[in-house]
Every structure is written in structure tokens, then in C-alpha cells.
Amino acid sequence: MTNHGETTGPAENGDITEGQALNARIAHDGQVTLRTPAELADALPYLLGYRPEDSIVLVALHDRAGRGRFGGRARLGIPASPDDWAAAARQLAHGLVTGSERRGARPEQMVAYVCQEPAKGESGREVMQRLRPLAQLLRTECGSLDVPVIEALCISGGRFWSYCCPNDECCPAEGAPMGLPGTSVLAAAATYAGIQVRGSLSELHARLLPWETAAAFEQEIVLDAAGIDLVPRILDDATRADVAEETLDLAERIMNRFAAAPPVPGTPQADLRDDELLGHDEAAALILGLQDRTTRDRAAAWMEGEEAGPALRLWRALARRCVGPYGEHAAAPLTLAGWVAWSTGDDLEAREALAMALGADPDYLFARLLHQACNEGLDPESIRRCLRAERAGRARPDTEAGDVTEVNTASPDQGASETGGHRGHRARPGEGSDTHPHRARAAERKRPRPPISGRNRPGASKPGSTRTRAAGKGGARRGGTAPEGARTAGNGTEGDT
């Protein structure tokens, strides 16, 4: 049981003194001590970087010579059926402990949260009572690993409850009200240190979910029509490289269009503006073109510098266009969005985008490898170096694919190629082609071509030099009209361990 007269919670890169006093080092020259359950509840969004919804969260605590350090965090959506709670608690506890062990720091203690808003006609106290067995399962699973849960909180309906403290003075039966967001000492210190809370997971997911409006039906019709033209060309070895060049040309033009657009305040408004800048037929051509995984791998080289921002906006916009039966096609743009986010330091969006990519296609190896590497805290620089080498290699006409060093992020027991499409799903073009995420294709027939708008396409030559291009006759480029209407957000269940 936590002593609520002392500090009772963790914060990023913090310390735990004797008596479970937690000091959160928000800046190099200062620290914040969390002394009450209210401060611990208020700290949760700053621990994760967003406001969790419908979530189970575990926070690891480490001890060093009487002082502690806040460790890893793990989150999982609350399963709808209580029959699945035991498996979820086991997955979360074992995932966080084993993940910490792999990083060389087994946690000594845990703090657990269950967060869920009341259903219609339900009170926050009723939510707390309903989720009590789940909190107990978390405590039991962590205890079986010899990592005790020193505090377990339920947050619901703007109030919080402790499952560990029987003291009505600090933890009343009706719950204690949460403070106003951003008004605590921790919030002020986090703001001063530049730590931001990104909003809720549903708001983050909304940027990547497919449309559910009248515009979605229009996009589906255009995708059907584009597939009749593009899929046979992608499956034909004689024309596949031409489609790849057309796809990269078009993606580059859209990125330039996005970069030139004036800023728009607010995330929903910015996404809607990007949607208006991207035509239905342009989106269809890019979605289908990126199903060829060699093309997708070349597009992954837009990962840093001035290219990264417009590229991330484009991949988000394309994920929103994978409507109706084209949901599985979202694996490619979602994986690219996750990769660019991870490459630019946004681990939160990276994990969520990659988890959504695996939800669209669980067999998508590129997403699975990146998701594993991101969750394990690996440095993306090794992948960036490989992609830079591929890009430089393609820019040299005399470079063959074998001259490029490969980087494989898979563990020894993982396969080296992605599987084909699912039975009963629409077949994706490019199935059966070379699918390694870091392998350059052999240089093919050379053809001079000037760069577009001064930007170097992945695999393209520098200005004034000769770039490689497959033999074949280029196809027509596409343009289109902007969609009307806004998309609607939805909720999903993901896990970060």
C-alpha cells in the first residue's frame, strides 16, 4: 500500500526517495515532487505524451541506492469483454517487465492506471467498481513477477479513485476531482521544459483513419477505376518501373504543393486543407502505386530535413483515402507515416501509425519490424544510413544493387520477406516481388531527367547528373478535383509495450 503522506507516483526521468517519494526531473536545474494521488493522476498525460482513453497503463519504477528512477511505460486498450482482462493484464505486465530487462533495468515497483469514461447513464464510481477486478488482475500479474504495484488508480468522469488506499480523507468513496488540465505544478514545469501533451489517442487516430463521408464513396469509385489501369501495369515486369517513376513524380509534386501552402492553425483544419489539396485521382494513383514495395521503400527516403514534414502530411492524407474495401491498402501509407514520425523523433505518432498499419495488414513485415524497433527504443539512424546509401547508389549510374549495404532489423527468428495478400482480400499489386525493406533494385536503363522543383527524389540523381530509370514508355500523369466534406474520427485499441 502506498503511503499517501509521502509522494506516490512517477514522472519522466524522476527519482524515488525512501518512503516512495517521487521527484520528477523536468529540467536539468530543477525537479518536481509529486506528493498526492491527485498529482499522480495529473501526471499521467505527461508520462505518455497524450491523454489516454479506454486504457490500461503500467508505469515502471526503478530504485538506486535509496533513490529511484522512473522507467518504461506500457499501455493497452481495455478489452470489451471481462473474459479477456486476464490475458490483457498478463500481456501488459510481462511485456513491460521483459522489455525493461532487455534494456538492462528490471523494475522494482509498478504504478497502475485504468482509464475509461462512463457510458450513458453510468457514473464514474460505477466505472471504478466495474474495473476493480481488472486493477486486481494487474496487481496479481505484477506480483507474480516479483514487481509489486504500489499504487493503482482509476480515472473516470473527471475524478480519480485509489484501489490501494482505504483512507477516506485522501481517497473518498465518491472519488476526488481531477484538477483543471495544465494548472498543476507539474504541468507548469513541463510547459517550461517544452514537454507537450498531444491530446487524446482518438484525436491522433482521427488523422489516420479513413473517411466515412460522402467523399469516401467518391474516392472508392476513383480507386476502382484507377485499379483497372494501374494494377496490370504494376504486375507486368515490363511496365512496373514506369509506374514507380510516375508514382514518385506525383508524390513529389504533391509534397511541393503541401510545402507551398500557407500554414493553417489547428490540427483538424490543417488536415482538411491537405485533403483539399489532394485530388481523388491523385490519391488513388499514389495509394495503388505504393502497393509495389520497392516503390514504397524508395519513398521511405523522404524521412528528414525539409522533405520530412510534407512527406508525413502526404502519408497521413493517403491513409485517410484508403476507404471502404481498400482498408488493407492503408498499410503502406501508415507504415511510411510511422517511419517518418519515428525518424523525426515523434515516437508517439510512430507507434500509433505502425500499430494501425498492422491492424490494416497483420502480415506487413516492414510495419512489424519498425514497430518492434520503435517499441524497443532502438535508434532509427541505422535505417536512415541505409536509405541514404540506397539513394546515393541509385544516383550513380554505375551502381548495382549488390553494392548497397543491407540493414536487417529483424530478429534471427523472423523471416526476411513479407507474405502475400490475405485470402478473401483484394490482392495488392507487387505481391511476390522483392520485398526486403532495405534492398536497392538493380540499376536499369539510364535516361536523363531534370529534378523537379530542386528536390531530389529518392533514388534520383543530383541536379546536372544522370539518373537511372527502367526501360519503358512513361504513362500519363494524373490530376483531379478536391474532395468535399470532412472525415469522422473513430477509436481503436492498440498496445505500446
Side-chain angles (χ1 to χ4, degrees), residues 208-212 216 219-221 223-224 287-288 290-291 293 315-335 353-364 367 421-422 424-429 431:
L208 303 170
L209 288 170
W211 287 346
E212 294 180 357
Q219 181 65 72
E220 183 179 337
I221 293 174
L223 280 163
D224 287 339
I287 290 168
L288 295 172
L290 290 172
Q291 302 311 305
R293 289 162 183 171
W315 308 143
R316 289 187 192 129
L318 292 179
R320 296 192 291 266
R321 301 297 186 96
C322 294
V323 297
Y326 291 89
E328 190 181 64
H329 288 64
L334 285 170
T335 301
L354 293 169
M356 292 176 70
L358 291 172
D361 184 354
D363 293 326
Y364 209 69
H422 296 176
H425 292 170
R426 292 179 182 234
R428 287 191 306 271
E431 299 290 345

Side-chain angles (χ1 to χ4, degrees), residues 470-484:
K473 189 174 182 180
R477 295 177 181 174
R478 298 175 177 271
T481 58
E484 297 179 359

Side-chain angles (χ1 to χ4, degrees), residues 234 304 371 451 461 471:
I234 296 174
E304 56 191 345
H371 191 248
S461 62

Side-chain angles (χ1 to χ4, degrees), residues 12-13 24-32 46 185-196:
E12 188 67 40
N13 298 326
R25 298 190 182 279
I26 298 298
H28 293 296
D29 57 349
Q31 62 185 25
V32 173
Y46 299 95
V185 175
L186 176 61
T191 301
Y192 178 79
I195 300 173
Q196 297 181 349

Side-chain angles (χ1 to χ4, degrees), residues 60-412:
L61 303 177
H62 304 276
D63 180 70
R64 284 184 180 174
R67 295 183 65 82
R69 176 178 58 85
F70 170 70
R73 303 151 302 256
R75 188 206 71 87
L76 196 65
I78 298 177
S81 172
D83 294 339
D84 297 325
W85 288 357
R90 187 177 307 111
Q91 175 186 346
L92 203 63
H94 283 253
L96 181 55
V97 171
T98 56
S100 298
E101 288 175 336
R102 282 197 301 269
R103 290 186 286 271
R106 178 182 173 84
E108 280 79 27
Q109 298 170 324
M110 292 280 193
V111 175
Y113 298 82
V114 289
C115 310
Q116 191 173 74
E117 288 304 296
K120 186 176 182 180
E122 187 179 33
S123 68
R125 177 175 170 80
E126 290 172 329
V127 173
M128 182 272 295
Q129 294 287 12
R130 178 166 53 79
L131 296 180
R132 184 183 292 276
L134 175 56
Q136 184 58 41
L137 286 167
L138 289 169
R139 299 175 70 183
T140 301
E141 288 294 337
C142 291
S144 70
L145 299 170
D146 295 325
V147 184
V149 173
I150 63 169
E151 179 61 288
L153 293 176
C154 175
I155 300 175
S156 179
R159 307 181 78 84
F160 69 89
W161 291 260
S162 170
Y163 291 115
C164 298
C165 179
N167 189 342
D168 287 340
E169 292 184 3
C170 64
C171 300
E174 67 274 12
M178 297 281 293
L180 292 175
T183 59
S184 67
V185 175
L186 176 61
T191 301
Y192 178 79
I195 300 173
Q196 297 181 349
V197 175
R198 299 277 299 276
S200 66
L201 274 183
S202 61
E203 292 169 345
L204 181 59
H205 289 170
R207 309 192 73 183
L208 303 170
L209 288 170
W211 287 346
E212 294 180 357
T213 63
F217 180 69
E218 298 171 6
Q219 181 65 72
E220 183 179 337
I221 293 174
V222 177
L223 280 163
D224 287 339
I228 295 173
D229 172 41
L230 284 177
V231 172
R233 296 179 60 210
I234 296 174
L235 295 175
D236 187 342
D237 289 338
T239 54
R240 178 183 297 170
D242 287 324
V243 178
E245 293 300 327
E246 294 165 18
T247 301
L248 295 171
D249 281 346
L250 179 57
E252 193 169 42
R253 293 202 305 275
I254 302 301
M255 287 169 55
N256 289 337
R257 188 185 303 167
F258 281 4
V264 174
T267 296
Q269 293 79 9
D271 288 345
L272 181 59
R273 188 273 314 276
D274 288 346
D275 290 339
E276 293 171 346
L277 292 174
L278 179 63
H280 286 326
D281 50 354
E282 292 173 324
L286 290 174
I287 290 168
L288 295 172
L290 290 172
Q291 302 311 305
D292 179 81
R293 289 162 183 171
T294 302
T295 306
R296 176 209 63 194
D297 294 344
R298 291 178 63 184
W302 287 313
M303 61 188 173
E304 56 191 345
E306 295 180 355
E307 296 173 335
L312 180 56
R313 290 164 58 188
L314 176 57
W315 308 143
R316 289 187 192 129
L318 292 179
R320 296 192 291 266
R321 301 297 186 96
C322 294
V323 297
Y326 291 89
E328 190 181 64
H329 288 64
L334 285 170
T335 301
L336 289 170
W339 160 239
V340 176
W342 184 34
S343 176
T344 54
D346 189 346
D347 290 0
L348 172 59
E349 181 167 0
R351 287 193 300 268
E352 296 304 315
L354 293 169
M356 292 176 70
L358 291 172
D361 184 354
D363 293 326
Y364 209 69
L365 181 62
F366 193 22
R368 189 162 69 245
L369 297 179
L370 291 175
H371 191 248
Q372 176 183 341
C374 182
N375 279 338
E376 292 182 353
L378 302 183
D379 187 350
E381 178 58 24
S382 61
I383 304 176
R384 284 195 294 259
R385 283 197 300 266
C386 177
L387 291 173
R388 292 187 199 110
E390 289 184 359
R391 188 170 184 171
R394 291 194 188 97
R396 294 192 296 271
D398 58 342
T399 300
E400 296 294 330
D403 298 332
V404 180
T405 302
E406 293 184 10
V407 175
N408 188 355
T409 60
S411 59

